[in-house]
């Protein structure tokens, strides 16, 4: 008798095994390197009450999101009191830019393609990046391409509706083609679009004085917004050692700008139009286990128009139009003389990276002092990482050269600056790590600071920051026979900002000038904690929480009335928490954001107080599997206590609201 274990096949034939996609609820990732890193995954974003990217950032410690109210209001982020211009935003490892204001409006970015969001303060463990990512005091990394599609073809379509005239449509399609000759070669592309419109006419209470004074019930006016995000991604995996990526992005918005809620006057007719388009390409090649190379290129165009038909000037209106252009090129080489897999010595890994970035920015506007200011910037970064079994050290030197170009003023000063940074981490005892870093960065003045007709000062010097951090990391301790997972980080930090750029009135309140006069000292602490209790394999309870203490004071002039006063819009205490219960039928999440009182102006007096607030929301979500597709449902109950509060003074936020989102994915 002859028994065959399998049917004999022709040796020249090849069979492809179908991919298997395994999904699991992994504990929150905790980073043990020198940098203070926080990350929010796409799954966590899905469970939180989020409509825009800025909503997710409110659940990170040390972050102050300046929200001017409403769906279309501007959203910028300041980290550890350093200001919005010191926070960089990287979209798939290539920086977004705005040479006019130096700050990125996070309300422009859609969440539809986001795979994860990471906030990095300090030196990242990943050295194989452009030099520009080292030029920020803190870096917000948005990743959209981090998984290879499983299906040859997939698509998704969804819709969002909410109170106060909110509705939106989201759609995306992905196509993947594998090579018939080589398993390590494939190509896929993705096209997505996100349209949203909102009237923003929510009610609020206007207070005319103190707690016992009169009030009136008002409706937010001139708050309608319409936005469109489109994005195209293409990935060509040439072989297992090299890949080529292309990203094309277009954003268009038309927004009405509600005015500050001033007594007896709530009308506003200001409007803002914005278009942003960029294309970026990325290529990398791993020659062997020791050498790798990557190149990045990008061209960015941005158009902004601001109209105020009620502006009191000779023309009777203000109509400012701005055009920005940026061309960017980056090259990075990575050398790994010692890797973990081939080392049996005390040093487990040794890496060096050399990156050279160059970019040119220029701007035209009808409100600038000069016709067409430009700026050429060169960034050279040398990085090193060395690690042992229980320790790691990172270091970086960043050489910056800036050439400001103005035809009308050829003698304007150029700048060269060397910024050192170093960080270290060590496993103190099992699962408990000690980390620390020092980082020095400087920020060039924006085009508005230098060249804006009413306030510009071409002699401004760059702001300089010094950052120190010392922290403890408890990495995924398992309790109760592995059913409970706990991770916690505690960081203390101290920052100094020198040559801070400050606007001062000159001969009257309508004529201001920019000066390097400021100095700010910032001391703070951040506590982040994550708990997961696996009741059974299908019932999971998760708790995320953080609290931040931050003392950021003006140390410019001891004789000033604002000396040692908390800087504007920086709370002493802030925090957030989310409690999520996952069951086979539904996932319920309770989310809370709390903020202490702040001051709207530099002088800490009762007249300048912006009261604290607590914003509570509940999210109900469920994924329904239908054959090879998924129907995702999400209901958000926002600000369930209907608390009226302001993040920016006189810009009231929305009270109670409802949002519902449905997405079908195949």
């Amino acid at each position: 008798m002859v028994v065959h274990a399998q049917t004999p096949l022709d040796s020249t034939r090849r069979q492809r095994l179908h991919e298997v996609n395994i999904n699991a609820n992994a504990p929150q990732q905790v980073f043990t390197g020198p940098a203070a890193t926080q990350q929010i995954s796409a799954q966590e974003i899905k469970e939180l009450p989020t409509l825009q990217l800025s909503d997710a950032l409110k659940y990170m410690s040390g972050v102050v999101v300046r929200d001017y109210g409403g769906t279309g209001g501007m959203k910028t982020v300041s980290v550890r009191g350093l200001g919005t211009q010191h926070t960089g935003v990287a979209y798939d490892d290539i920086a977004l830019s705005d040479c006019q204001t130096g700050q990125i409006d996070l309300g422009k970015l859609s969440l539809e393609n986001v795979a994860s969001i990471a906030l990095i303060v300090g030196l990242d463990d990943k050295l194989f990046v452009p030099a520009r990512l080292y030029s920020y005091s803190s870096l917000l990394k948005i990743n959209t391409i981090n998984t290879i599609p499983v299906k040859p073809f997939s698509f998704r379509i969804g819709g969002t509706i909410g109170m106060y005239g909110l509705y939106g449509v989201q759609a995306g399609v992905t196509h993947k083609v594998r090579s018939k000759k080589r398993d390590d070669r494939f190509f896929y592309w993705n096209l997505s679009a996100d349209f949203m419109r909102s009237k923003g006419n929510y009610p609020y209470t206007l207070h005319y004085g103190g707690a016992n004074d009169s009030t009136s019930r008002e409706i937010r006016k001139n708050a309608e917004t319409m936005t469109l995000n489109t994005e195209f991604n293409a990935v060509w995996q040439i072989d297992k050692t090299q890949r080529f990526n292309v990203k094309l992005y277009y954003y268009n918005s038309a927004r009405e700008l509600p005015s500050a809620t001033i007594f007896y006057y709530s009308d506003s007719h200001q409007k803002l139009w914005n278009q942003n388009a960029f294309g970026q390409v990325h290529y990398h090649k791993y020659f062997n286990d020791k050498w790798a190379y990557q190149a990045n290129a990008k061209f960015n165009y941005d158009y902004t128009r601001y109209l105020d038909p009620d502006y009191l000037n000779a023309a009777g209106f203000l109509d400012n139009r701005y055009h920005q252009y940026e061309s960017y090129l980056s090259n990075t080489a990575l050398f790994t003389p010692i890797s973990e897999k081939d080392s049996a010595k005390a040093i487990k890994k040794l890496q060096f990276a050399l990156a050279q970035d160059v970019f040119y920015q220029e701007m035209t506007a009808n409100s600038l002092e000069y016709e067409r200011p430009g700026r050429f910037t060169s960034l050279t970064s040398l990085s090193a990482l060395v690690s042992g079994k229980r320790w790691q050290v990172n270091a970086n030197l960043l050489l910056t050269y800036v050439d400001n170009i103005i035809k009308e003023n050829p003698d304007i000063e150029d700048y060269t600056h060397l910024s050192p940074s170093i960080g270290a981490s060590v496993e103190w005892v099992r699962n408990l790590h000690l980390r620390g870093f020092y980082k020095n960065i400087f920020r060039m003045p924006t085009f508005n600071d230098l060249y804006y007709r009413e306030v510009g000062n071409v002699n401004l010097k760059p702001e300089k920051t010094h950052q120190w951090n010392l922290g403890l990391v408890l990495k995924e301790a398992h309790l109760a026979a592995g059913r409970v997972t706990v991770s916690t980080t505690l960081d203390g930090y101290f920052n100094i900002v020198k040559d801070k750029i400050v606007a001062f009135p000159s001969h009257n309140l309508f004529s201001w000038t920019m000066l390097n006069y400021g100095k700010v000292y910032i001391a703070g602490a951040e506590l982040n904690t994550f708990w997961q209790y696996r009741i059974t394999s299908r019932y999971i309870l998760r708790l995320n929480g953080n609290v931040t203490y931050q003392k950021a004071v003006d140390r410019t002039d001891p004789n000033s009335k604002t000396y040692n006063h908390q800087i504007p819009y920086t709370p002493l205490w802030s925090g957030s928490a989310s409690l999520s219960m996952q069951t086979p039928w539904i996932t319920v999440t309770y989310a809370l954001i709390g903020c202490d009182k702040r001051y709207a102006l530099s002088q800490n007096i009762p007249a300048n107080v912006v009261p604290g607030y607590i914003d509570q929301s509940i999210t109900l979500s469920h994924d329904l599997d239908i054959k090879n597709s998924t129907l995702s449902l999400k209901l958000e109950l926002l600000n369930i206590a209907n608390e009226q509060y302001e993040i920016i003074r006189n810009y009231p936020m929305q009270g109670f609201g409802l949002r519902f989102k449905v997405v079908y994915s195949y």
Side-chain angles (χ1 to χ4, degrees):
M1 182 176 68
V2 179
V3 178
H4 294 284
Q6 65 183 43
T7 304
L9 296 174
D10 186 343
S11 61
T12 61
R13 291 182 59 193
R14 305 172 69 182
Q15 278 192 330
R16 186 190 305 278
L17 297 177
H18 295 289
E19 297 95 338
V20 177
N21 190 26
I22 300 175
N23 296 316
N25 292 299
Q28 186 187 51
Q29 186 175 6
V30 178
F31 299 86
T32 58
T37 302
Q38 303 173 65
Q39 181 168 290
I40 299 178
S41 67
Q43 180 61 33
E44 291 173 298
I45 293 173
K46 190 175 180 179
E47 295 175 359
L48 291 171
T50 54
L51 179 67
Q52 298 169 306
L53 180 67
S54 56
D55 297 329
L57 297 181
K58 294 176 182 179
Y59 294 92
M60 288 183 166
S61 64
V63 172
V64 174
V65 177
R66 294 194 176 186
D67 192 328
Y68 288 79
T71 305
M74 187 175 183
K75 279 85 174 170
T76 61
V77 60
S78 174
V79 179
R80 293 188 172 184
L82 293 173
T84 57
Q85 290 91 347
H86 285 280
T87 302
V89 180
Y91 206 54
D92 287 331
D93 279 348
I94 299 181
L96 302 178
S97 62
D98 187 316
C99 60
Q100 178 188 351
T101 65
Q103 53 191 10
I104 304 300
D105 182 4
L106 298 175
K108 296 166 57 174
L109 300 176
S110 171
L111 280 172
E112 293 307 306
N113 290 327
V114 172
S116 65
I117 304 169
L119 178 64
I120 301 169
V121 184
L123 288 173
D124 194 1
D125 295 349
K126 184 180 178 182
L127 304 188
F128 200 31
V129 295
R132 197 171 187 176
L133 301 194
Y134 289 101
S135 67
Y136 303 103
S137 299
S138 57
L139 181 66
L140 179 65
K141 296 181 72 172
I142 305 167
N143 296 315
T144 65
I145 305 173
N146 67 347
T147 57
I148 301 170
V150 175
K151 299 179 180 179
F153 175 80
S154 60
F155 72 89
R156 59 178 169 80
I157 185 168
T160 303
I161 59 172
M163 295 175 65
Y164 313 116
L166 172 67
Y167 65 89
V169 178
Q170 305 85 34
V173 60
T174 301
H175 183 221
K176 182 182 70 173
V177 179
R178 277 194 178 273
S179 171
K180 295 180 179 179
K181 297 181 179 180
R182 298 185 55 168
D183 289 340
D184 61 350
R185 178 175 294 177
F186 60 85
F187 173 84
Y188 73 87
W189 60 267
N190 169 271
L191 177 64
S192 63
D194 183 1
F195 172 82
M196 183 180 64
R197 189 163 191 168
S198 173
K199 291 183 178 180
N201 54 346
Y202 52 85
Y204 66 95
T205 301
L206 179 60
H207 294 267
Y208 290 86
N212 299 321
D213 209 332
S214 60
T215 63
S216 64
R217 196 65 173 166
E218 306 288 342
I219 299 293
R220 203 73 169 116
K221 299 177 182 178
N222 200 59
E224 187 169 351
T225 181
M226 181 176 64
T227 63
L228 172 66
N229 277 284
T230 59
E231 187 172 317
F232 173 80
N233 291 285
V235 177
W236 181 27
Q237 180 84 15
I238 303 171
D239 56 43
K240 64 181 181 180
T241 66
Q242 53 185 332
R243 179 181 290 188
F244 184 76
N245 299 350
V246 176
K247 182 189 292 289
L248 301 176
Y249 174 90
Y250 177 71
Y251 169 82
N252 192 322
S253 70
R255 290 182 276 181
E256 296 178 337
L257 301 180
S259 65
T261 54
I262 302 173
F263 302 155
Y264 310 110
Y265 183 81
S266 59
D267 289 335
S268 173
H269 304 98
Q270 301 171 20
K271 291 180 173 60
L272 183 70
W273 294 267
N274 181 228
Q275 296 179 35
N276 180 222
F278 66 78
Q280 63 188 45
V281 296
H282 165 86
Y283 169 79
H284 70 248
K285 167 71 174 177
Y286 289 87
F287 297 98
N288 49 46
D289 291 340
K290 297 187 181 299
W291 288 98
Y293 166 79
Q294 72 165 254
N296 298 281
K298 179 179 179 179
F299 179 77
N300 181 74
Y301 166 76
D302 190 276
Y303 166 74
T304 302
R305 181 190 177 195
Y306 169 74
L307 176 65
D308 184 355
D310 303 323
Y311 193 77
L312 300 178
N313 59 2
F317 66 91
L318 189 66
D319 189 356
N320 288 347
R321 307 185 185 202
Y322 306 90
H323 297 264
Q324 297 183 49
Y325 308 88
E326 179 182 282
S327 300
Y328 170 78
L329 181 64
S330 171
N331 292 276
T332 306
L334 179 69
F335 177 49
T336 309
I338 302 176
S339 61
E340 296 180 9
K341 65 179 182 180
D342 60 16
S343 174
K345 301 179 181 179
I347 296 178
K348 298 295 183 182
K349 188 176 183 180
L350 179 63
Q351 275 190 330
F352 299 95
L354 177 64
Q356 176 63 56
D357 291 13
V358 292
F359 51 96
Y360 177 75
Q361 301 167 318
E362 66 178 15
M363 180 175 166
T364 62
N366 58 357
S367 60
L368 294 181
E369 181 69 27
Y370 299 97
E371 179 182 355
R372 197 181 185 99
R375 175 179 291 169
F376 172 81
T377 304
S378 170
L379 299 170
T380 306
S381 169
L382 177 61
S383 306
L385 181 150
V386 56
S387 64
K389 185 177 180 181
R390 300 177 59 183
W391 56 272
Q392 177 180 316
V393 176
N394 291 19
N396 175 263
L397 278 176
L398 179 67
L399 178 64
T400 304
Y401 170 74
V402 179
D403 181 11
N404 291 305
I405 303 168
I406 307 175
K407 293 180 181 179
E408 297 87 346
N409 188 356
D411 298 327
I412 189 169
E413 185 177 356
D414 302 333
Y415 290 96
T416 302
H417 187 84
L418 185 63
S419 301
S421 303
I422 189 169
S425 64
V426 61
E427 187 178 10
W428 195 0
V429 294
R430 184 179 179 183
N431 289 337
L432 186 62
H433 296 253
L434 178 67
R435 66 185 180 193
F437 69 81
Y438 164 78
K439 188 173 186 179
N440 169 258
I441 291 297
F442 87 135
R443 177 187 78 83
M444 282 298 299
T446 68
F447 279 12
N448 274 2
D449 295 337
L450 294 169
Y451 312 125
Y452 192 72
R453 183 174 291 127
E454 281 76 16
V455 301
N457 178 2
V458 296
N459 297 314
L460 286 176
K461 298 178 181 179
E463 290 184 356
K464 303 175 183 66
T465 67
H466 300 271
Q467 300 169 259
W468 291 268
N469 185 94
L470 186 63
L472 283 171
V473 179
L474 175 64
K475 182 183 179 182
E476 294 179 8
H478 298 284
L479 310 172
R483 297 172 66 182
V484 177
T485 302
V486 180
S487 60
T488 302
T489 64
L490 174 63
D491 286 275
Y493 58 88
F494 180 66
N495 303 330
I496 298 177
V497 184
K498 295 182 178 179
D499 289 328
K500 188 170 180 63
I501 299 171
V502 181
F504 287 93
S506 51
H507 58 275
N508 59 49
L509 290 178
F510 300 97
S511 180
W512 293 63
T513 186
M514 310 299 292
L515 296 175
N516 287 111
Y517 190 64
K519 182 185 293 184
V520 175
Y521 285 8
I522 306 159
E526 299 171 1
L527 175 66
N528 291 269
T529 187
F530 169 79
W531 293 70
Q532 177 173 286
Y533 176 36
R534 188 175 293 274
I535 305 170
T536 68
S537 60
R538 305 178 69 187
Y539 293 83
I540 301 173
L541 184 66
R542 287 192 297 270
L543 171 66
N544 273 293
N546 69 73
V547 63
T548 300
Y549 171 82
Q550 186 167 266
K551 185 71 173 177
V553 296
D554 175 18
R555 298 297 295 269
T556 301
D557 181 6
N559 298 317
S560 169
K561 293 182 179 180
T562 64
Y563 187 74
N564 259 346
H565 285 209
Q566 190 86 345
I567 62 176
Y569 291 111
T570 302
L572 199 64
W573 291 95
S574 61
S576 67
S578 64
L579 180 64
S580 177
M581 182 66 187
Q582 180 179 318
T583 73
W585 309 282
I586 195 170
T587 298
V588 182
T589 302
Y590 166 78
L592 175 148
I593 299 173
C595 184
D596 196 8
K597 69 178 182 181
R598 293 135 292 138
Y599 294 92
L601 298 175
S602 299
Q603 196 170 359
N604 295 177
I605 58 177
N608 294 332
V609 169
V610 179
Y613 63 88
I614 295 178
D615 188 331
Q616 305 171 77
S617 300
I618 294 176
T619 301
L620 309 174
S621 60
H622 179 66
D623 289 344
L624 182 63
D625 293 327
I626 308 172
K627 293 185 178 180
N628 295 323
S629 59
T630 303
L631 183 66
S632 299
L633 307 173
K634 182 180 182 180
L635 175 64
E636 298 172 324
L637 288 74
L638 308 171
N639 196 355
I640 56 177
N642 196 29
E643 179 172 356
Q644 180 180 313
Y645 64 94
E646 299 169 345
I647 295 179
I648 300 298
R649 190 176 202 177
N650 297 327
Y651 285 85
M653 301 294 292
Q654 178 180 307
F656 175 77
L658 289 172
R659 279 200 307 256
F660 178 72
K661 183 175 182 179
V662 56
V663 178
Y664 176 77
S665 304
Y666 172 77

mmCIF file of all heavy atoms in Angstrom, residues 87-104:
data_model
loop_
_atom_site.group_PDB
_atom_site.id
_atom_site.type_symbol
_atom_site.label_atom_id
_atom_site.label_comp_id
_atom_site.label_asym_id
_atom_site.label_seq_id
_atom_site.Cartn_x
_atom_site.Cartn_y
_atom_site.Cartn_z
ATOM 1 N N THR A 87 6.260 73.793 17.014
ATOM 2 C CA THR A 87 5.775 72.432 16.813
ATOM 3 C C THR A 87 5.730 72.134 15.322
ATOM 4 O O THR A 87 5.005 72.767 14.573
ATOM 5 C CB THR A 87 4.368 72.258 17.415
ATOM 6 O OG1 THR A 87 4.408 72.585 18.812
ATOM 7 C CG2 THR A 87 3.895 70.826 17.256
ATOM 8 N N GLY A 88 6.535 71.166 14.892
ATOM 9 C CA GLY A 88 6.535 70.746 13.501
ATOM 10 C C GLY A 88 5.493 69.670 13.263
ATOM 11 O O GLY A 88 5.130 68.914 14.174
ATOM 12 N N VAL A 89 5.003 69.591 12.038
ATOM 13 C CA VAL A 89 4.036 68.574 11.648
ATOM 14 C C VAL A 89 4.594 67.838 10.440
ATOM 15 O O VAL A 89 4.860 68.448 9.396
ATOM 16 C CB VAL A 89 2.666 69.185 11.304
ATOM 17 C CG1 VAL A 89 1.679 68.089 10.909
ATOM 18 C CG2 VAL A 89 2.122 69.985 12.488
ATOM 19 N N ALA A 90 4.813 66.533 10.586
ATOM 20 C CA ALA A 90 5.356 65.702 9.509
ATOM 21 C C ALA A 90 4.261 64.781 8.995
ATOM 22 O O ALA A 90 3.639 64.049 9.766
ATOM 23 C CB ALA A 90 6.543 64.885 9.999
ATOM 24 N N TYR A 91 4.042 64.832 7.695
ATOM 25 C CA TYR A 91 3.021 64.010 7.042
ATOM 26 C C TYR A 91 3.756 62.914 6.281
ATOM 27 O O TYR A 91 4.365 63.172 5.247
ATOM 28 C CB TYR A 91 2.188 64.890 6.108
ATOM 29 C CG TYR A 91 0.787 64.400 5.839
ATOM 30 C CD1 TYR A 91 -0.083 64.124 6.881
ATOM 31 C CD2 TYR A 91 0.321 64.250 4.543
ATOM 32 C CE1 TYR A 91 -1.380 63.699 6.640
ATOM 33 C CE2 TYR A 91 -0.976 63.829 4.286
ATOM 34 C CZ TYR A 91 -1.819 63.556 5.333
ATOM 35 O OH TYR A 91 -3.108 63.135 5.094
ATOM 36 N N ASP A 92 3.733 61.693 6.836
ATOM 37 C CA ASP A 92 4.525 60.584 6.300
ATOM 38 C C ASP A 92 5.992 60.975 6.174
ATOM 39 O O ASP A 92 6.636 60.813 5.129
ATOM 40 C CB ASP A 92 3.977 60.115 4.951
ATOM 41 C CG ASP A 92 2.683 59.340 5.098
ATOM 42 O OD1 ASP A 92 2.493 58.701 6.145
ATOM 43 O OD2 ASP A 92 1.852 59.377 4.174
ATOM 44 N N ASP A 93 6.538 61.536 7.279
ATOM 45 C CA ASP A 93 7.954 61.858 7.445
ATOM 46 C C ASP A 93 8.448 63.009 6.575
ATOM 47 O O ASP A 93 9.661 63.229 6.473
ATOM 48 C CB ASP A 93 8.841 60.628 7.207
ATOM 49 C CG ASP A 93 8.905 59.723 8.421
ATOM 50 O OD1 ASP A 93 8.466 60.158 9.506
ATOM 51 O OD2 ASP A 93 9.391 58.582 8.292
ATOM 52 N N ILE A 94 7.555 63.771 5.954
ATOM 53 C CA ILE A 94 7.942 64.982 5.233
ATOM 54 C C ILE A 94 7.157 66.133 5.828
ATOM 55 O O ILE A 94 5.930 66.075 5.953
ATOM 56 C CB ILE A 94 7.692 64.854 3.723
ATOM 57 C CG1 ILE A 94 8.514 63.691 3.146
ATOM 58 C CG2 ILE A 94 8.044 66.147 3.000
ATOM 59 C CD1 ILE A 94 8.352 63.495 1.651
ATOM 60 N N ALA A 95 7.863 67.219 6.202
ATOM 61 C CA ALA A 95 7.264 68.283 6.994
ATOM 62 C C ALA A 95 6.278 69.115 6.181
ATOM 63 O O ALA A 95 6.497 69.403 5.002
ATOM 64 C CB ALA A 95 8.356 69.190 7.556
ATOM 65 N N LEU A 96 5.179 69.502 6.847
ATOM 66 C CA LEU A 96 4.283 70.522 6.323
ATOM 67 C C LEU A 96 4.855 71.890 6.692
ATOM 68 O O LEU A 96 5.566 72.025 7.693
ATOM 69 C CB LEU A 96 2.882 70.363 6.905
ATOM 70 C CG LEU A 96 2.188 69.017 6.664
ATOM 71 C CD1 LEU A 96 0.827 69.002 7.354
ATOM 72 C CD2 LEU A 96 2.031 68.723 5.188
ATOM 73 N N SER A 97 4.535 72.921 5.897
ATOM 74 C CA SER A 97 5.160 74.216 6.144
ATOM 75 C C SER A 97 4.184 75.345 5.896
ATOM 76 O O SER A 97 3.212 75.216 5.150
ATOM 77 C CB SER A 97 6.398 74.392 5.244
ATOM 78 O OG SER A 97 6.017 74.365 3.879
ATOM 79 N N ASP A 98 4.472 76.478 6.554
ATOM 80 C CA ASP A 98 3.747 77.728 6.347
ATOM 81 C C ASP A 98 4.724 78.851 6.676
ATOM 82 O O ASP A 98 4.924 79.192 7.839
ATOM 83 C CB ASP A 98 2.513 77.795 7.238
ATOM 84 C CG ASP A 98 1.626 78.999 6.940
ATOM 85 O OD1 ASP A 98 2.185 80.099 6.766
ATOM 86 O OD2 ASP A 98 0.400 78.852 6.872
ATOM 87 N N CYS A 99 5.362 79.406 5.648
ATOM 88 C CA CYS A 99 6.375 80.432 5.892
ATOM 89 C C CYS A 99 5.750 81.764 6.279
ATOM 90 O O CYS A 99 6.433 82.645 6.793
ATOM 91 C CB CYS A 99 7.278 80.600 4.677
ATOM 92 S SG CYS A 99 6.412 81.107 3.166
ATOM 93 N N GLN A 100 4.445 81.933 6.063
ATOM 94 C CA GLN A 100 3.778 83.189 6.401
ATOM 95 C C GLN A 100 3.613 83.339 7.906
ATOM 96 O O GLN A 100 4.016 84.338 8.490
ATOM 97 C CB GLN A 100 2.417 83.268 5.722
ATOM 98 C CG GLN A 100 1.643 84.535 6.075
ATOM 99 C CD GLN A 100 0.220 84.521 5.545
ATOM 100 O OE1 GLN A 100 -0.149 83.643 4.774
ATOM 101 N NE2 GLN A 100 -0.584 85.472 5.968
ATOM 102 N N THR A 101 3.013 82.341 8.561
ATOM 103 C CA THR A 101 2.727 82.435 9.990
ATOM 104 C C THR A 101 3.563 81.477 10.834
ATOM 105 O O THR A 101 3.629 81.645 12.051
ATOM 106 C CB THR A 101 1.244 82.135 10.257
ATOM 107 O OG1 THR A 101 0.967 80.775 9.902
ATOM 108 C CG2 THR A 101 0.349 83.050 9.440
ATOM 109 N N GLY A 102 4.152 80.453 10.213
ATOM 110 C CA GLY A 102 4.947 79.486 10.960
ATOM 111 C C GLY A 102 4.150 78.481 11.751
ATOM 112 O O GLY A 102 4.720 77.698 12.503
ATOM 113 N N GLN A 103 2.831 78.470 11.596
ATOM 114 C CA GLN A 103 2.001 77.525 12.341
ATOM 115 C C GLN A 103 1.058 76.801 11.391
ATOM 116 O O GLN A 103 0.553 77.383 10.439
ATOM 117 C CB GLN A 103 1.224 78.235 13.446
ATOM 118 C CG GLN A 103 0.408 79.419 12.984
ATOM 119 C CD GLN A 103 -0.131 80.252 14.133
ATOM 120 O OE1 GLN A 103 0.243 80.067 15.282
ATOM 121 N NE2 GLN A 103 -1.024 81.174 13.837
ATOM 122 N N ILE A 104 0.849 75.511 11.651
ATOM 123 C CA ILE A 104 0.012 74.676 10.806
ATOM 124 C C ILE A 104 -1.390 74.624 11.395
ATOM 125 O O ILE A 104 -1.571 74.301 12.569
ATOM 126 C CB ILE A 104 0.596 73.257 10.695
ATOM 127 C CG1 ILE A 104 2.045 73.304 10.182
ATOM 128 C CG2 ILE A 104 -0.263 72.397 9.772
ATOM 129 C CD1 ILE A 104 2.200 73.927 8.817
#
